[in-house]
Amino acid sequence: MDMWEIPFLICFPLVVSVLMFCIRINKIRNAVAYVSAVIIMLMTGVLTVHWGMNGFAPAEFYVETELVDHFILGAEILLMLVVTFLSFKYNRPWVSLLSIVPTAVIAWLELEGPELDAISHIKVDHLSILMCIIIGIIGSLIVIYAVGYMHGYQHYHTEIPDRRYYFFMILFIFLGAMFGFVLSDSLLWIDLFWETTSVCSFLLIGYTQQEEAIHNSFRALWMNLLGGCALCVGIVYFALDQGTASLSVLVEQGTGQAPASVQVAIALIAFAALTKAAQLPFSKWLLGAMVAPTPSSALLHSATMVKAGIYVLFRLAPAMSGNMTGTMISFIGGFTFLSASIMAIAQSDGKKVLAMSTISNLGLMVACAGVGRPETIWAGCFLMIFHAVSKSLLFQDIGATENSLHSRDVEEMHGLLYRLPVLALFMFIGICGMFLAPFGMLISKWAALKASVDENNIILVFFICFGSATTSFYWTKWLGKLIAHTNRPPVRDITKKNEMISLSIHAVLMLALCILFPFLSSVYVEPLLMEMFSESNQVISNNVLYILIILICFFFAVPFLAYIYEKNVKTNKKLSYMNGINTGKNDAFMGSMGAEKELVLANLYFKDICGQRKLMNPSIAITTAVIIIMMCMIIASALGGGMI
């Protein structure tokens, strides 16, 4: 079976990226971006259908790839040169060492090291196709949204040089690298695409070239390159000892009584995945990504960058079940879930709330991978699906709202349902998708909790219970702001049509995923678990479909009734009593000293209790200590011949 769509999806975005850089006429470049995004979505569908026509069975491709291997190595050296040049340009030469050293080691392995066994460099199965669908659909929609958004962004931020040609070039390189990452079974290929996504995120975060952006971009770079160093060491150690660089072989040998090289390689690669997934103590790079334009945030937080780490951990999950590596990963993920949820309570900036929520939810996915049971991977897969769609929707909506409202502060979104009703409805759908029934995030958390109870993992049960409670708190605050009664004037919606198209498709996808939840579980996720574990337990019954549809109707009733009530209040013009002399309007009253006071309704944020300044450093210290101690124990036990 020859699946020509695979090289197309990897190479086509790279070709388009060159066009994006070369075309300096905005209208022409925008048209090419639209067409290219649609082609990527269509080809993702073709790949899925083509694979399905061959029985949905795992398929492996490209054993003889000597020429491509040389190209891969050349590309890795080129990335090293780019990082080195920029590190010296911005007076951070030490960062270049994190790229030079692993690249040199990989080059030695490929050019001077022992000959490795022939392997299939590409593997297509349920997990890789799932990731391709997320990247192809969500990533392409973000590109479509970015065309309109960046036009407005450059219009309102005249102090920032207009480099949209550069911005879209990086976006498409990013998409091509992500396709290569999730479809590769060769660890050497994975290493290149890993480094490519790290460098692309660095360039996107630093797009504005302002001091804060440069600082945050280098923080993201060195943290991800640190993970790349761990990945490199794990690959080389495994390859030298076992004579192969296959991810599938690594996972297969990691189950049961694994050799020391396999145990150490899995631990190192899992550690690398923590950096990519922005887990504590590496979460700050993702928070710093907020300085980038909104499409960058959506791309980094939803469909691509952070999901690369989750994807690797899901791949390693069968080899982490019941051992010390799995314990380390599940603890770090669970602790990050709880800690980031608490810190999100203190945030009023909408994008920062989304960033903290992303780190938190990624923590739960990481914890699911660490437990390494079919039930937790079932939960993790649906967490990943719903999170990708919901966060992409919310980041795009925040960007559009900020353009119209000139603020992304949650407090400024009071009564947004009556001021920007369409954007508020999309925001309502995205927020509900993150924590309310009948959306899959809530059901997935329940499945993860049940699996943790069954595994007697008391610490993880604690993290999930209290993390879910704090999650509900900050989302409910935001949701209440959207539908609260307001006397603030309406705002002109300046959202462009292409932005609205992307937002609408995201909203429809969220609702469709909710209704199709049981169907997706039985026809896709459960077969995925059979591939990974040779067993699968039905977590949700198909009989709940009608219940989900009924709940969807109730879900839409909330904003509808709130909107009707607000209209009724304005029509009747009833005045509220506010503990003072009424001034004739519902947003002010006369105080006891005769001065008019404005009525303000504000959420509680507890910044002095659970703000980043209070909790971030202690959280980093705890997780750093846990990782260092447990990594030392894992390596010492493996090299000493013990079982971990």
Side-chain angles (χ1 to χ4, degrees):
M1 179 178 63
D2 181 25
M3 300 186 73
W4 55 270
E5 304 93 334
I6 295 173
F8 182 88
L9 284 172
I10 297 172
C11 298
F12 177 72
L14 303 181
V15 174
V16 175
S17 70
V18 176
L19 295 177
M20 292 292 103
F21 185 82
C22 294
I23 300 173
R24 300 303 170 95
I25 301 175
N26 287 329
K27 289 186 177 181
I28 298 177
R29 186 176 58 248
N30 294 346
V32 174
Y34 286 140
V35 173
S36 301
V38 172
I39 290 174
I40 290 173
M41 283 192 283
L42 291 175
M43 292 310 302
T44 303
V46 171
L47 172 64
T48 305
V49 172
H50 192 176
W51 174 66
M53 291 172 60
N54 289 278
F56 298 100
E60 298 178 345
F61 306 93
Y62 306 113
V63 176
E64 299 294 333
T65 58
E66 183 177 356
L67 181 61
V68 179
D69 290 339
H70 290 315
F71 176 81
I72 293 285
L73 179 58
E76 194 150 3
I77 293 173
L78 178 62
L79 283 175
M80 178 198 70
L81 295 175
V82 170
V83 171
T84 302
F85 170 75
L86 293 174
S87 298
F88 279 90
K89 178 181 178 180
Y90 291 102
N91 298 318
R92 292 170 175 85
W94 63 272
V95 176
S96 64
L97 293 176
L98 296 175
S99 180
I100 294 172
V101 173
T103 302
V105 173
I106 291 292
W108 172 84
L109 177 66
E110 293 199 49
L111 299 176
E112 301 294 334
E115 185 175 352
L116 303 179
D117 294 341
I119 61 171
S120 298
H121 290 74
I122 295 290
K123 182 176 181 179
V124 178
D125 60 7
H126 282 83
L127 184 57
S128 61
I129 288 292
L130 173 60
M131 288 297 299
C132 283
I133 292 172
I134 292 175
I135 297 164
I137 295 178
I138 305 301
S140 297
L141 288 174
I142 291 172
V143 170
I144 292 173
Y145 168 86
V147 173
Y149 177 87
M150 291 304 293
H151 175 78
Y153 181 86
Q154 295 294 166
H155 177 75
Y156 289 109
H157 296 81
T158 54
E159 75 282 4
I160 297 173
D162 188 348
R163 299 189 300 147
R164 277 176 277 178
Y165 61 91
Y166 168 87
F167 183 83
F168 282 97
M169 176 190 72
I170 302 300
L171 285 187
F172 278 100
I173 293 175
F174 210 123
L175 292 179
M178 279 303 302
F179 279 119
F181 185 88
V182 302
L183 289 168
S184 295
D185 192 54
S186 166
L187 289 168
L188 296 174
W189 286 22
I190 288 174
D191 184 71
L192 166 71
F193 295 122
W194 179 287
E195 296 298 302
T196 304
T197 57
S198 298
V199 174
C200 285
S201 65
F202 158 69
L203 296 174
L204 286 172
I205 294 170
Y207 172 75
T208 64
Q209 296 184 315
Q210 296 176 338
E211 185 176 350
E212 183 184 9
I214 292 172
H215 173 76
N216 291 352
S217 65
F218 271 98
R219 180 167 56 192
L221 181 63
W222 78 255
M223 285 187 177
N224 281 283
L225 289 180
L226 180 65
C229 290
L231 176 68
C232 169
V233 174
I235 292 171
V236 172
Y237 185 37
F238 173 67
L240 292 177
D241 190 73
Q242 299 297 316
T244 182
S246 169
L247 178 59
S248 297
V249 173
L250 173 67
V251 175
E252 184 180 336
Q253 293 186 1
T255 55
Q257 214 166 9
S261 61
V262 174
Q263 298 173 31
V264 173
I266 289 172
L268 288 170
I269 295 173
F271 167 80
L274 292 179
T275 65
K276 190 72 78 174
Q279 296 298 280
L280 287 168
F282 308 107
S283 301
K284 280 191 172 182
W285 79 258
L286 196 60
L287 297 175
M290 293 297 98
V291 299
T294 293
S296 301
S297 301
L299 202 65
L300 297 177
H301 286 249
S302 61
T304 55
M305 183 70 169
V306 292
K307 294 300 189 297
I310 302 300
Y311 167 79
V312 169
L313 290 173
F314 281 1
R315 282 286 184 209
L316 298 176
M320 295 192 295
S321 178
N323 58 38
M324 195 176 295
T325 300
T327 301
M328 177 185 72
I329 295 300
S330 63
F331 178 88
I332 294 298
F335 185 86
T336 301
F337 175 56
L338 174 59
S339 181
S341 293
I342 294 174
M343 285 186 277
I345 293 173
Q347 302 297 328
S348 62
D349 184 306
K351 286 183 73 173
K352 289 184 178 179
V353 175
L354 296 183
M356 278 296 184
S357 171
T358 294
I359 294 169
S360 174
N361 283 281
L362 290 171
L364 186 54
M365 297 178 215
V366 168
C368 289
V371 175
R373 297 293 306 145
E375 297 87 349
T376 58
I377 298 303
W378 182 95
C381 285
F382 277 109
L383 285 169
M384 182 165 62
I385 293 169
F386 276 88
H387 181 267
V389 179
S390 180
K391 274 299 164 62
S392 181
L393 170 62
L394 285 171
F395 269 109
Q396 293 182 47
D397 200 297
I398 282 288
T401 301
E402 183 180 7
N403 281 343
S404 298
L405 202 60
H406 304 297
S407 173
R408 61 182 188 227
D409 194 300
V410 173
E411 291 302 310
E412 296 296 326
M413 298 179 191
H414 191 99
L416 196 68
L417 181 63
Y418 324 109
R419 304 164 67 201
L420 288 169
V422 177
L423 293 179
L425 181 61
F426 289 149
M427 197 175 294
F428 188 90
I429 293 172
I431 292 174
C432 288
M434 290 302 299
F435 83 112
L436 284 181
F439 295 96
M441 292 290 285
L442 181 67
I443 299 173
S444 299
K445 288 177 184 177
W446 166 80
L449 178 61
K450 181 179 181 299
S452 301
V453 172
D454 293 342
E455 292 288 319
N456 294 317
N457 194 331
I458 305 303
I459 296 178
L460 189 54
V461 170
F462 172 85
F463 287 150
I464 294 176
C465 288
F466 284 90
S468 298
T470 50
T471 296
S472 298
F473 183 67
Y474 66 77
W475 283 130
T476 302
K477 287 196 303 178
W478 192 342
L479 203 61
K481 271 290 179 182
L482 298 181
I483 63 176
H485 171 72
T486 183
N487 288 294
R488 298 182 183 184
V491 178
R492 188 170 74 92
D493 191 341
I494 62 172
T495 308
K496 295 186 177 297
K497 288 184 179 179
N498 46 10
E499 297 176 77
M500 199 61 73
I501 289 172
S502 179
L503 289 165
S504 301
I505 294 175
H506 275 83
V508 171
L509 275 176
M510 279 296 298
L511 299 177
L513 284 172
C514 177
I515 295 174
L516 297 175
F517 198 150
F519 176 76
L520 289 173
S521 175
S522 60
V523 305
Y524 198 91
V525 178
E526 289 173 22
L528 183 154
L529 300 179
M530 286 296 297
E531 282 182 0
M532 294 179 65
F533 299 96
S534 299
E535 62 174 297
S536 174
N537 299 324
Q538 188 177 34
V539 179
I540 185 171
S541 171
N542 291 328
N543 295 329
V544 303
L545 175 60
Y546 296 110
I547 299 175
L548 294 178
I549 295 175
I550 293 171
L551 286 173
I552 281 287
C553 296
F554 280 112
F555 159 79
F556 272 114
V558 174
F560 177 75
L561 292 175
Y563 190 83
I564 295 299
Y565 172 76
E566 174 72 9
K567 291 295 184 182
N568 184 58
V569 168
K570 287 186 176 181
T571 302
N572 294 332
K573 296 182 179 179
K574 293 181 179 179
L575 297 177
S576 302
Y577 176 66
M578 294 174 281
N579 293 331
I581 301 174
N582 210 310
T583 61
K585 50 187 177 180
N586 272 326
D587 58 356
F589 63 95
M590 298 296 293
S592 58
M593 302 301 292
E596 183 176 310
K597 295 178 181 276
E598 183 183 0
L599 179 65
V600 178
L601 181 65
N603 282 318
L604 294 173
Y605 291 97
F606 307 104
K607 292 186 177 182
D608 293 333
I609 300 174
C610 54
Q612 275 185 251
R613 292 184 178 180
K614 291 286 185 180
L615 298 183
M616 180 59 81
N617 288 336
S619 298
I620 289 175
I622 291 170
T623 49
T624 301
V626 169
I627 289 175
I628 292 174
I629 292 171
M630 297 199 73
M631 285 295 293
C632 290
M633 292 173 63
I634 291 168
I635 294 172
S637 178
L639 297 180
M643 287 300 296
I644 56 172

